[in-house]
Amino acid sequence: MSAKKEPESFGFWLPNQCTAKTMDQLTPHKLAVVFLIQEYLSLKKSAEENPAVEFTARDRRKFCMLLLKLIQYPDMAYKDLYGLLTSPVYGIHRAHLEEFEKLMKLLKTVGVEVLFDLYNVIDKLITDNASSYQIGIVGLYFRRVYVTLDKMSFPEFMALYRNSVSYYEKGARAVQISASAFSNSDCFMKPETQPVYKDRNATSKWSTKQSELFVAQQSALLQNNEIGALSPKEMQARLNEIIHDHPLYSQAYFLSYLNSVRVRDFFNATDALHRSFDRSTLHSMTMVQDNKEYQYSALNLAILHAQFNHNEEALASIKECIMLAQENSDKICLQLAHAWLCLLDSSKSQFSEKNIANKELMTLVHSISLGIQSLVKSSASTGYTPAKLFEVLLKSDILNCQTSMMDLIANGIAERAALWAIYGKNEISSLCSQLLLNSDLKTLGKTYNGEGICQALCSLIIWLAIQGEFNLSLTVLKHTRERFPRYPLSKSWMIADFYISSIQAIFRGEWTDASNACYQLYPLDKHLSLLQRAHLALARLNPKSADQLLRLLLDDDSLEPLTRVRALILVAHTLTQTPQTTQMEVINVLNEALAIANKNYLDYEKALIEMHFGHVLLTMKLPTQALKSVKGCLENILTNGGIYDKAKVLFLFTKCTVAVEQDAPEKLAAMAKCLPMLEQAVQYFTKLECFVKVKDVHGYVARFYHELGMATERNQHAYRFRQVEQQHPTAREYLGLFF
C-alpha cells in the first residue's frame, strides 16, 4: 500500500518516502554483536557434541531476545552493552560471557587479524548449506556485515579496528569503575524496558533499518498510544542523532515535526515540516522527472496551522493543496483536503451523499471514512435530519470494521456519542461512551489509545459531574490526564476539567474559584467560557454583566446552534432578573430559542425552554398552562438531565400542581403527593452542595403550611431551613431565584 494512504500521527499525512540508498557504516558495537553471535554458535555446537556442557533452552531463548534487541536498536556504549549481558532479563550464559570477553581482549592483544578471521567465519556461515542462519534476521545481519566488510578499503578497515579497540578499552574501564564503586553488580541487574544510549561517541551510528524502525514505532505510538512513546525531550535527542547520521532521511524530520506539535512549539514544527518535504522532494527528483508530492506539503502545512488555530493561513494552504491535487489527479489528497475544508470553513458544511455513493471513491477507504465523519459533524450543526446522519455514520462504521481501522472505529463511536448528546439523549450518549471504553480495540496485540478514547473519557467526566458524582469524575479525569498527557489530546480533558470546576464552584457559591475556572477555559473554548461567565454573573445577581457577555457571544456568526440556544435561555434568565422587563419580552426570547431548537432537533434544550415557559406562566398567574408546559418537559429532563435540572423541574412541578388547586384541602392533598418529589429535589441539591436551593425548597414548604395554619408542619420545615442556614449561610438575595 502506498505510504500516502497510511495515516500519520494526529491526522498528518505523508507522501511516498524513499530512504537514501547508502551503505550503513560498520561500527564497533555492530562488531561486538557479531562476536556475540559467533561465540553463541560455538557454545551451542559444543553443547550438542558434549552433553556435559550445560546450555539450556532458557539460555538460548534469552540470547535470542537479547539479539533481537541489539539488532533493532542503535549503538550503545560498551558499559551499557555489558549491563544488558549481565541483567536478569537479557543476561547470557556465564560461559558465553567469558568467551565473549576473551574475544574482545584478543581484539586488542592479537591485532587486526581477529577481524580477518571474523570475515572468514561469516563467509563460511553464509556459504554453509546446512546453516540455519542463511535466512532470518541473523542471516540478513550477517550478509549486511559481510558486504560492508568486503567493500571497505584497507584504511577504513584499520580505522574500524582502532575504533573497536578504543570502544572496548573505554567500556572496560567504565565497567571496572562501576564494579569497584558497588560491592555487587546491582547496577547491571535491573531489567530495562527501554534501551539506554548514553555516552554516544563519533563511532556510534544509527543504521538505516534501525532509524526506520524507531521512526515507525514512535509514530505509531504517537497515533495510538502516546503514553507509550518517548518523552518529547528524549525523542528529540534520538531524532537529532538519526538526523546527524542520515541527514536526508525525511521521515525523521517529520517525526520531529510531530514531536514539536506535542509541546506547542510552532516555529520548530514549521522548520521541521519544511525540512521534511525538502528532503522528500530531493528523493523524488532523483527518481522521476516530475515531482507530484507537493500537494502533501501544502496539506500538512494547513493541518499545522489548524492545530494552532490559524484558520486563515490553514484555508489558504488547503486551497493550494486542492489545486495541486487536481493537477496531479490525486483523489486521496482531494478527499483529505475536503475533510479539513469542512472542519475549517463552516460555509462548506453542506452534507452531500454523492461522494459516499460513488463506487470509484469507495476504494479510498480511509479518506472516504474521514470524509463521512467530517461531513456528519458539520451537518449536525446545520439542521440535517438526525436519522439520516446516523444512517450515513453507519456506513462509515462498516468501512472501518471491514478494514480494521481502529482509530476511525473509535472516532466513529465517539462521534455517535456526541450526536446523541447534541440531540439531548444524554443517557444513550453515556452508553455509547462506555461501549467504546469497554471495547477491546487491538491491532497486532496493541490496544488502541487515541483520540476517540480521550473523547469518550471526557464525555464520561462531564456526565458524572452533572450527576453530582464529582469524586468519580475527578478519578476519571486523573486517569485521562495520565493516558493523554500532551497536546492536542490534552485539550479535551483540560476543557472538561475547567468546565466541571466552574459549574461545581457556581453550585457551591464559590465565586472566585468559578471565575478563575471560566478565565482558564477561555483560551481553550472561547464560546463555552463566555457562556459560563454569563452563568456566573447571573448566579451573582449581576444581570448587566451577564447581558454584555451574552450579547458578545450571540454576535458571533460562528456560534453553533446548541450554544446559541443555551445563550438565549440565559438571556431569558437575565430578563427575568431585570425589574423593568415585561413577561412578553421573556416569552419572545424563549420563542426564538425554541425555533432554533426545533430546527436543529435539540430535544433536551426544548425541554429546558418548556420548563422556563412554565416558570414564566406561573409568575403570570396562569398555573394551568404552566402545569401543562412542565408536564411536557418532565419526562425528557428526568430521563436525560443532570440532577440540578431534575431537582429544578421537580420543584417547579410541585409549585404548579399546588397552584392549580383552589381549595385548601385540595392544595393539602396535592402537597402530600408532591412531598416525596420535594425530598428528592432536596437530595439532589444537597448532593451538588447547592444549599441555596435546599433552603428555597424548605422555605416554600414552610410558607405553604403557614398559609394553611398548620404550625407543626411549618415549624418542622422552618427548623430544617434554619439548620441549613446555620451550617451554610448565604445572602438572602440569592433565595428564590429560578436559575
Side-chain angles (χ1 to χ4, degrees):
M1 182 178 290
S2 174
K4 60 186 168 185
K5 295 183 182 180
E6 293 296 332
E8 289 291 341
S9 182
F10 304 150
F12 298 97
W13 295 78
L14 268 179
N16 290 323
Q17 298 290 324
C18 54
T19 312
K21 303 299 183 181
T22 57
M23 184 65 64
D24 289 330
Q25 183 176 346
L26 197 55
T27 61
H29 172 80
K30 294 179 174 62
L31 278 183
V33 174
V34 176
F35 289 152
L36 278 171
I37 300 174
Q38 179 183 346
E39 295 306 321
Y40 168 78
L41 295 176
S42 177
L43 181 60
K44 182 180 178 183
K45 184 177 180 181
S46 300
E48 292 174 352
E49 295 176 353
N50 185 7
V53 178
E54 184 181 357
F55 193 57
T56 63
R58 181 173 180 272
D59 294 323
R60 294 194 295 269
R61 183 170 61 252
K62 288 175 67 176
F63 177 73
C64 289
M65 297 302 296
L66 170 66
L67 185 60
L68 182 64
K69 186 183 186 73
L70 293 177
I71 290 176
Q72 289 184 342
Y73 290 103
D75 298 356
M76 60 181 68
Y78 182 81
K79 176 187 173 182
D80 299 325
L81 174 63
Y82 191 85
L84 279 179
L85 299 181
T86 57
S87 66
V89 178
Y90 299 105
I92 61 177
H93 193 274
R94 182 175 297 275
H96 188 188
L97 180 61
E98 292 175 355
E99 292 300 322
F100 170 71
E101 289 179 318
K102 289 180 182 178
L103 187 56
M104 293 299 293
K105 290 178 182 178
L106 284 175
L107 183 66
K108 176 183 177 182
T109 58
V110 175
V112 74
E113 290 84 356
V114 176
L115 293 187
F116 286 110
D117 293 340
L118 177 65
Y119 179 81
N120 296 328
V121 169
I122 296 176
D123 186 21
K124 183 179 178 182
L125 286 172
I126 293 176
T127 56
D128 186 4
N129 293 329
S131 175
S132 61
Y133 290 93
Q134 286 185 311
I135 59 175
I137 296 176
V138 178
L140 180 61
Y141 191 76
F142 273 157
R143 281 178 166 81
R144 293 176 69 88
V145 173
Y146 180 80
V147 171
T148 306
L149 285 172
D150 187 60
K151 291 183 177 295
M152 290 175 68
S153 63
F154 185 75
E156 292 174 340
F157 205 81
M158 290 303 299
L160 174 62
Y161 168 72
R162 286 191 293 268
N163 290 335
S164 300
V165 172
S166 175
Y167 171 80
Y168 170 70
E169 288 179 342
K170 181 180 178 181
R173 284 196 301 270
V175 170
Q176 291 175 0
I177 293 172
S178 298
S180 62
F182 301 97
S183 59
N184 51 36
S185 300
D186 288 344
C187 57
F188 300 127
M189 302 300 288
K190 298 178 181 179
E192 299 183 30
T193 57
Q194 291 288 343
V196 181
Y197 319 117
K198 296 179 180 178
D199 303 325
R200 189 176 189 263
N201 51 56
T203 61
S204 298
K205 300 291 182 182
W206 286 73
S207 70
T208 302
K209 295 297 182 182
Q210 289 170 345
S211 302
E212 291 175 350
L213 177 64
F214 177 84
V215 171
Q217 286 179 337
Q218 295 301 316
S219 297
L221 287 172
L222 287 181
Q223 179 183 4
N224 298 322
N225 187 13
E226 191 213 349
I227 196 173
L230 295 178
S231 65
K233 184 177 180 181
E234 186 176 359
M235 183 184 292
Q236 192 59 49
R238 303 287 78 78
L239 288 172
N240 290 340
E241 295 173 3
I242 294 175
I243 291 171
H244 178 270
D245 297 339
H246 304 281
L248 297 181
Y249 183 37
S250 61
Q251 292 276 13
Y253 293 98
F254 195 83
L255 182 57
S256 175
Y257 158 51
L258 298 181
N259 195 40
S260 298
V261 173
R262 294 166 73 193
V263 294
R264 304 288 288 161
D265 189 347
F266 174 76
F267 297 103
N268 282 332
T270 306
D271 181 69
L273 180 63
H274 290 165
R275 291 177 181 271
S276 171
F277 281 95
D278 286 345
R279 271 65 176 179
S280 174
T281 302
L282 179 62
H283 290 316
S284 299
M285 292 291 286
T286 60
M287 298 179 62
V288 294
Q289 294 297 325
D290 297 324
N291 181 38
K292 296 184 178 181
E293 308 296 354
Y294 290 113
Q295 65 267 25
Y296 287 95
S297 60
L299 176 62
N300 280 276
L301 186 59
I303 298 172
L304 173 63
H305 284 300
Q307 291 289 340
F308 288 89
N309 298 322
H310 305 159
N311 285 351
E312 293 184 4
E313 292 83 353
L315 286 172
S317 297
I318 283 288
K319 292 177 181 178
E320 181 183 2
C321 171
I322 291 174
M323 289 188 293
L324 291 171
Q326 289 174 339
E327 291 178 4
N328 297 323
S329 301
D330 192 338
K331 295 178 181 177
I332 296 177
C333 190
L334 281 172
Q335 286 293 312
L336 295 173
H338 183 257
W340 278 99
L341 188 62
C342 291
L343 290 174
L344 296 171
D345 191 352
S346 58
S347 63
K348 306 294 183 183
S349 60
Q350 299 300 322
F351 185 78
S352 175
E353 201 176 357
K354 294 180 180 179
N355 292 336
I356 300 168
N358 193 327
K359 295 182 180 179
E360 181 182 359
L361 293 179
M362 287 293 285
T363 58
L364 312 175
V365 178
H366 198 281
S367 57
I368 284 295
S369 184
L370 276 176
I372 291 175
Q373 293 184 6
S374 172
L375 287 171
V376 167
K377 177 182 177 180
S378 57
S379 300
S381 60
T382 59
Y384 207 84
T385 308
K388 196 66 175 179
L389 291 181
F390 282 110
E391 179 184 346
V392 175
L393 194 58
L394 180 61
K395 297 180 181 179
S396 173
D397 292 339
I398 294 173
L399 287 175
N400 299 335
C401 292
Q402 287 176 343
T403 52
S404 299
M405 292 186 290
M406 297 302 171
D407 55 337
L408 292 180
I409 291 174
N411 290 344
I413 299 176
E415 188 169 20
R416 179 175 280 100
L419 284 177
W420 282 120
I422 289 174
Y423 296 132
K425 308 302 180 183
N426 294 317
E427 277 287 350
I428 303 178
S429 174
S430 175
L431 289 175
C432 287
S433 298
Q434 294 178 53
L435 173 65
L436 175 57
L437 295 175
N438 285 279
S439 299
D440 190 15
L441 299 179
K442 288 186 176 181
T443 51
L444 301 177
K446 296 182 179 179
T447 303
Y448 174 77
N449 188 40
E451 181 182 7
I453 303 296
C454 182
Q455 295 295 336
L457 286 170
C458 292
S459 175
L460 194 59
I461 290 169
I462 295 175
W463 175 248
L464 289 171
I466 65 175
Q467 297 303 319
E469 303 291 346
F470 289 107
N471 291 333
L472 293 177
S473 178
L474 292 176
T475 301
V476 179
L477 176 62
K478 180 181 178 181
H479 173 74
T480 309
R481 185 185 293 113
E482 292 172 353
R483 289 182 68 172
F484 307 97
R486 294 180 182 87
Y487 186 87
L489 298 182
S490 61
K491 179 180 179 181
S492 299
W493 60 257
M494 290 173 68
I495 291 175
D497 184 12
F498 296 137
Y499 176 67
I500 64 174
S501 297
S502 65
I503 61 174
Q504 186 179 20
I506 290 173
F507 289 152
R508 292 175 175 177
E510 299 170 349
W511 311 130
T512 302
D513 293 342
S515 179
N516 290 337
C518 291
Y519 281 111
Q520 288 174 313
L521 185 61
Y522 188 84
L524 302 170
D525 192 328
K526 174 182 176 181
H527 294 163
L528 184 58
S529 174
L530 291 174
L531 198 65
Q532 287 301 105
R533 287 170 61 190
H535 196 161
L536 173 61
L538 286 172
R540 300 185 67 176
L541 299 179
N542 191 352
K544 184 176 180 180
S545 296
D547 182 66
Q548 292 176 350
L549 291 168
L550 292 171
R551 287 182 182 276
L552 179 64
L553 186 62
L554 292 171
D555 289 341
D556 192 341
D557 295 333
S558 63
L559 195 64
E560 294 184 351
L562 180 62
T563 308
R564 186 173 294 276
V565 170
R566 291 175 177 176
L568 288 172
I569 293 175
L570 290 183
V571 170
H573 284 293
T574 305
L575 295 175
T576 303
Q577 292 185 14
T578 305
Q580 63 271 21
T581 303
T582 63
Q583 299 294 346
M584 287 306 301
E585 291 178 323
V586 178
I587 292 176
N588 290 336
V589 173
L590 291 176
N591 281 329
E592 181 183 354
L594 185 62
I596 299 174
N598 284 325
K599 179 182 177 182
N600 293 277
Y601 305 95
L602 308 178
D603 288 347
Y604 188 72
E605 275 58 39
K606 287 166 58 178
L608 293 180
I609 294 169
E610 291 292 337
M611 180 175 65
H612 205 286
F613 268 126
H615 170 71
V616 173
L617 291 171
L618 186 62
T619 58
M620 294 174 66
K621 309 299 182 181
L622 299 173
T624 303
Q625 291 83 348
L627 181 61
K628 183 179 179 181
S629 181
V630 173
K631 283 183 177 179
C633 69
L634 188 64
E635 181 180 356
N636 195 341
I637 294 178
L638 293 180
T639 303
N640 299 293
I643 59 175
Y644 183 77
D645 290 338
K646 291 179 182 179
K648 277 176 56 179
V649 76
L650 289 174
F651 188 22
L652 181 60
F653 178 77
T654 299
K655 291 196 290 186
C656 292
T657 302
V658 172
V660 166
E661 305 299 337
Q662 300 296 327
D663 300 330
E666 294 175 348
K667 286 181 177 292
L668 187 61
M671 176 60 75
K673 291 181 180 179
C674 293
L675 275 178
M677 295 185 186
L678 293 180
E679 290 298 330
Q680 185 68 55
V682 168
Q683 291 179 14
Y684 286 153
F685 287 136
T686 304
K687 190 174 184 178
L688 294 172
E689 300 182 32
C690 188
F691 298 108
V692 172
K693 293 297 182 183
V694 174
K695 288 185 280 187
D696 277 345
V697 175
H698 291 317
Y700 167 77
V701 179
R703 288 193 300 271
F704 172 80
Y705 285 121
H706 176 73
E707 291 174 358
L708 295 181
M710 302 175 66
T712 303
E713 289 79 1
R714 177 201 63 191
N715 293 341
Q716 180 182 358
H717 287 276
Y719 176 69
R720 294 177 67 180
F721 179 96
R722 182 180 178 185
Q723 281 185 315
V724 177
E725 175 63 26
Q726 289 176 345
Q727 295 174 5
H728 308 282
T730 53
R732 289 187 177 274
E733 57 264 26
Y734 294 120
L735 298 176
L737 293 176
F738 181 75
F739 180 71

